[in-house]
Amino acid sequence: MNDNVVPIKRGPDASPPTLTPILSLTATPMNAVNAIILDRMQSEIPLIPALAGHLIAGGGKRMRPMLTLAGAEVLGYQGTRHHKLAAAVEFIHTATLLHDDVVDGSEMRRGKSAANIVYGNPATVLVGDFLFSRAFELMVEDGSLRVLKILSGASAIIAQGEVDQLTAQRKIETSEDRYLDIIGAKTAALFAAASRISAIVAERGEEEEMALDSYGRNLGIAFQLVDDAIDYDSDAAEMGKDRGDDFREGKMTLPVILAYARGNDEERRFWQDAIAGFSTEDEDLAHAVTLIRKHDCVTETRERARHFAQRACNALSIFPDSAARRAMVEAAQFAVARGY
Amino acid sequence: MNDNVVPIKRGPDASPPTLTPILSLTATPMNAVNAIILDRMQSEIPLIPALAGHLIAGGGKRMRPMLTLAGAEVLGYQGTRHHKLAAAVEFIHTATLLHDDVVDGSEMRRGKSAANIVYGNPATVLVGDFLFSRAFELMVEDGSLRVLKILSGASAIIAQGEVDQLTAQRKIETSEDRYLDIIGAKTAALFAAASRISAIVAERGEEEEMALDSYGRNLGIAFQLVDDAIDYDSDAAEMGKDRGDDFREGKMTLPVILAYARGNDEERRFWQDAIAGFSTEDEDLAHAVTLIRKHDCVTETRERARHFAQRACNALSIFPDSAARRAMVEAAQFAVARGY
């Protein structure tokens, strides 16, 4: 490992890492990306921009297009081709969020009612399809077959990961390896592709392309692991509000996999019932949190996230030190440290 | 109009046109297309080929890939590039069918239980996404940006047409023009694109490309019009079984638009209640069929279909007479004549 690259810290931090540097780094091009997003989600059918805007205008961190923009910065790319491609990446992500909300029967997304609740499942499915098609139109306008190959491949992998997650749902015997396969597909594949395509528009070689792929992929896994940890890491008072969705849906995430593996017979029976959907009341969730704490499963999940975030940083070691690289490193540190 | 092109007949026929000539014309390459379809719907996630196979192996006429294959025949194209693209077209179509079944809450498709009934809405949405991504992977492998542009554009138009249809659902005031816009988008756009791309792989000029686009587009409208007519053209004994879905779902199709326009005050009140969803019992459907017969709306809808089928045939007049052209003409005749 190149010692220019800062190691990821363990545990809470007095001055915790933030996304501020990467947000500043990408603020100007992100305005251009947002303008493309707003322009290209338009349609003569008014329901389409209304529904798409409900989610897109609702914010979100724009993590994936940010990776495309940050990659261009670390490579010193001076053009603007990546703006359209970053918008395409966000459209693919938005399409998957809309379909996820239908699949999960979500009620909330980004702090407000999910699109499927406001507009119904049928429109939500179809507007997802529209945004997905628009993403490909944007890529075709750019004209790079390599970018099209990477993003169509990533899209197929995402869909497979989502189906795989559905298959694993309510199955207590899901292994850690299978869980990592699932999040590698449903989350990390688009992080990897978003990051990688910046090297293609910048016309760099295989080594830089794969370094950015690795940064994005490992960062995506770290983010997902910490998301999954946070869903079990709240005060009991908060439980039953915005946390615990994974528990109620019987999703097998790493904290549960670890707690089940470490549990005694009685605890394992609890998990079997809970994941099967027989014990999903607020008091069951509180008990789940107690067991996960008892076996240090949130800490352990964060430790795994630290491992992947470190790999993300290591992948950047082929690039010279720069404000862009430092911002990308801090984003990886943030991925692990957030939510403490 | 080139007088080589046979006009479309009116009314029932002693020896009705069939799809046999176009099926024979395309039988050998269709085997290659089917092999690609079966190969590329595979995945490590067993639920994906199971669900996709439920619909794909369940048959269907493969009309859209057949148009790509027939176009190649009429152009005398000798290569095999169009096989993958025809498979991509069928994957796009299959993805939209899966999503349609979720959107409409369908119970039956192609004579068996719809995928959403057997496998549930979540898996059906996600496998649709998978097939859509696979379609783009196949196109990227072929490598034509023009084909990618045409099919990504068609996909966006299909999604817009589906949303527009959803918006028009249960709205009795939907006009004939808006209805034609909707079916032009949700059905005819993919027929047009499927037909058109054969001219691109055959490296022909704009005129031949647009002639095949026009053939496919007008054929698609003719097929959809007759589908919509057939949904109201059954003996009362059959009603309530496999017909009348459009009526129960409050879909505004041409037979209803015509019957509403021609109805007296009492009839118009019936249609208002029925399309709004207040009168959708079997006896209401029987009454709807009676009104549609009284005002000759099925005949009139078929007459519109005849107009579009004739335009489809006229578009072929730039090509010399051949077995391929005759088969394509008979397919247009079939589109109008079927279901008598």
Side-chain angles (χ1 to χ4, degrees):
Chain A
M1 181 196 146
N2 182 323
D3 62 4
N4 284 329
V5 174
V6 184
I8 304 287
K9 289 176 190 157
R10 273 203 179 76
D13 191 333
S15 62
T18 69
L19 287 179
T20 306
I22 201 168
L23 285 165
S24 304
L25 180 77
T26 57
T28 304
M30 190 64 87
N31 287 336
V33 174
N34 281 328
I36 295 167
I37 287 173
L38 287 174
D39 180 47
R40 302 307 286 272
M41 72 185 211
Q42 296 308 313
S43 160
E44 289 171 12
I45 316 300
L47 179 55
I48 290 176
L51 194 154
H54 176 80
L55 180 54
I56 289 174
K61 292 183 293 292
R62 301 262 200 277
M63 274 306 297
R64 293 154 192 81
M66 195 188 294
L67 290 180
T68 309
L69 300 178
E73 294 295 325
V74 87
L75 295 168
Y77 172 68
Q78 298 292 323
T80 57
R81 271 180 62 194
H82 60 314
H83 296 170
K84 257 187 196 173
L85 296 177
V89 164
E90 186 67 5
F91 276 166
I92 292 174
H93 175 57
T94 307
T96 64
L97 287 187
L98 290 174
H99 287 183
D100 274 357
D101 284 344
V102 170
V103 164
D104 292 341
S106 308
E107 297 190 355
M108 299 291 286
R109 166 77 70 183
R110 292 177 180 168
K112 54 185 192 174
S113 294
N116 50 310
I117 300 298
V118 180
Y119 296 97
N121 282 344
T124 305
V125 169
L126 296 173
V127 173
D129 291 350
F130 171 78
L131 293 175
F132 198 58
S133 301
R134 269 283 188 270
F136 278 90
E137 289 191 300
L138 284 162
M139 288 182 251
V140 170
E141 285 173 28
D142 174 67
S144 164
L145 280 167
R146 295 204 56 216
V147 168
L148 275 156
K149 183 179 165 69
I150 289 166
L151 283 171
S152 60
S155 299
I157 288 170
I158 292 165
Q160 292 184 80
E162 301 269 8
V163 176
D164 201 15
Q165 177 171 266
L166 199 63
T167 314
Q169 204 166 356
R170 304 216 172 282
K171 295 233 166 71
I172 190 67
E173 67 275 16
T174 304
S175 69
E176 180 171 351
D177 286 344
R178 178 152 181 217
Y179 164 78
L180 283 172
D181 284 346
I182 290 172
I183 68 173
K186 76 164 186 146
T187 306
L190 191 57
F191 272 72
S195 179
R196 177 178 180 180
I197 58 176
S198 63
I200 292 168
V201 296
E203 299 181 353
R204 298 304 183 91
E206 176 85 2
E207 189 189 6
E208 280 148 312
E209 199 181 308
M210 295 320 294
L212 286 168
D213 182 288
S214 176
Y215 172 75
R217 188 176 308 276
N218 285 297
L219 182 69
I221 296 174
F223 259 103
Q224 186 65 57
L225 282 163
V226 174
D227 268 355
D228 293 347
I230 288 174
D231 210 59
Y232 285 100
D233 191 26
S234 303
D235 288 335
E238 290 177 19
M239 281 293 157
K241 288 176 191 162
D242 58 338
R243 302 286 167 84
D245 281 353
D246 291 344
F247 179 77
R248 281 181 286 265
E249 291 165 15
K251 277 196 185 149
M252 287 301 292
T253 61
L254 190 57
V256 174
I257 292 169
L258 295 173
Y260 182 64
R262 295 167 183 188
N264 60 33
D265 286 352
E266 187 189 335
E267 291 169 11
R268 289 168 68 90
R269 275 194 299 277
F270 164 78
W271 285 115
Q272 286 158 4
D273 285 353
I275 292 300
F278 303 123
S279 310
T280 60
E281 299 300 313
D282 286 357
E283 69 214 43
D284 300 312
L285 176 56
H287 186 55
V289 169
T290 305
L291 294 181
I292 280 171
R293 281 197 185 149
K294 173 183 168 191
H295 294 292
D296 278 332
C297 304
V298 164
T299 307
E300 179 78 9
T301 300
R302 283 188 181 277
E303 185 62 26
R304 308 289 167 101
R306 205 185 64 79
H307 160 88
F308 288 102
Q310 186 68 67
R311 283 168 61 179
C313 291
N314 289 5
L316 297 179
S317 64
I318 67 161
F319 302 111
D321 182 40
S322 68
R325 199 185 78 165
R326 286 192 295 275
M328 291 167 80
V329 166
E330 187 162 338
Q333 295 169 324
F334 170 80
V336 179
R338 77 211 159 93
Y340 264 117
Chain B
M1 181 195 147
N2 181 323
D3 62 4
N4 284 329
V5 175
V6 184
I8 305 288
K9 290 177 188 156
R10 273 200 180 79
D13 192 333
S15 62
T18 68
L19 287 180
T20 306
I22 202 168
L23 285 165
S24 304
L25 180 77
T26 57
T28 304
M30 191 63 87
N31 287 336
V33 174
N34 281 329
I36 295 167
I37 288 172
L38 287 175
D39 180 46
R40 302 306 286 271
M41 71 185 211
Q42 296 308 314
S43 160
E44 287 170 14
I45 317 301
L47 179 55
I48 290 177
L51 195 155
H54 176 80
L55 180 53
I56 289 174
K61 292 184 292 294
R62 301 265 200 276
M63 273 306 297
R64 294 154 191 81
M66 196 189 294
L67 291 180
T68 309
L69 300 179
E73 293 295 325
V74 87
L75 296 168
Y77 172 67
Q78 299 291 324
T80 56
R81 270 180 62 194
H82 59 315
H83 296 170
K84 257 187 196 172
L85 296 177
V89 164
E90 186 66 5
F91 276 166
I92 292 174
H93 175 57
T94 307
T96 65
L97 288 187
L98 291 173
H99 288 182
D100 275 359
D101 284 344
V102 170
V103 164
D104 293 340
S106 307
E107 297 190 356
M108 300 290 287
R109 166 75 70 184
R110 293 178 180 166
K112 53 185 192 175
S113 294
N116 49 309
I117 301 298
V118 181
Y119 297 97
N121 282 344
T124 305
V125 169
L126 296 173
V127 173
D129 291 350
F130 171 78
L131 292 175
F132 198 57
S133 301
R134 269 283 189 268
F136 278 90
E137 288 191 302
L138 282 162
M139 288 182 252
V140 169
E141 285 173 27
D142 173 68
S144 164
L145 280 167
R146 295 205 55 217
V147 169
L148 276 156
K149 182 178 165 69
I150 289 166
L151 283 171
S152 60
S155 299
I157 288 169
I158 292 166
Q160 291 184 81
E162 300 269 8
V163 176
D164 200 14
Q165 176 170 268
L166 198 64
T167 314
Q169 206 167 355
R170 305 217 173 280
K171 296 235 166 71
I172 191 68
E173 66 275 16
T174 305
S175 69
E176 180 171 350
D177 286 345
R178 177 149 182 221
Y179 164 77
L180 283 172
D181 283 347
I182 290 171
I183 68 172
K186 76 164 185 146
T187 305
L190 191 57
F191 272 72
S195 179
R196 179 178 180 179
I197 58 175
S198 63
I200 291 167
V201 295
E203 299 181 352
R204 297 305 182 91
E206 177 85 2
E207 189 189 6
E208 281 147 313
E209 199 180 308
M210 295 320 295
L212 286 168
D213 182 288
S214 176
Y215 171 76
R217 187 176 310 276
N218 285 297
L219 182 69
I221 295 174
F223 259 104
Q224 186 64 59
L225 282 164
V226 174
D227 267 354
D228 292 347
I230 287 173
D231 210 57
Y232 286 100
D233 191 26
S234 303
D235 288 333
E238 290 177 19
M239 281 293 158
K241 289 175 192 163
D242 59 338
R243 300 287 166 83
D245 280 354
D246 290 344
F247 180 77
R248 280 182 286 265
E249 291 166 15
K251 278 197 185 149
M252 287 301 292
T253 61
L254 190 57
V256 173
I257 292 169
L258 295 173
Y260 182 64
R262 295 168 181 188
N264 60 33
D265 286 353
E266 188 190 334
E267 291 169 11
R268 288 167 68 90
R269 276 193 299 277
F270 165 76
W271 285 115
Q272 286 159 5
D273 285 353
I275 291 300
F278 303 123
S279 310
T280 59
E281 300 300 313
D282 286 356
E283 68 215 46
D284 300 312
L285 176 57
H287 185 55
V289 169
T290 304
L291 294 180
I292 280 172
R293 281 198 186 152
K294 173 183 167 190
H295 294 294
D296 279 332
C297 304
V298 164
T299 307
E300 180 79 9
T301 300
R302 282 187 182 276
E303 185 61 25
R304 309 288 167 103
R306 205 184 65 77
H307 160 88
F308 288 102
Q310 186 68 66
R311 284 169 62 178
C313 290
N314 289 5
L316 297 179
S317 64
I318 66 162
F319 301 110
D321 182 40
S322 67
R325 198 184 78 166
R326 287 191 295 276
M328 291 167 80
V329 166
E330 188 163 337
Q333 295 168 326
F334 170 80
V336 180
R338 79 211 158 92
Y340 263 118

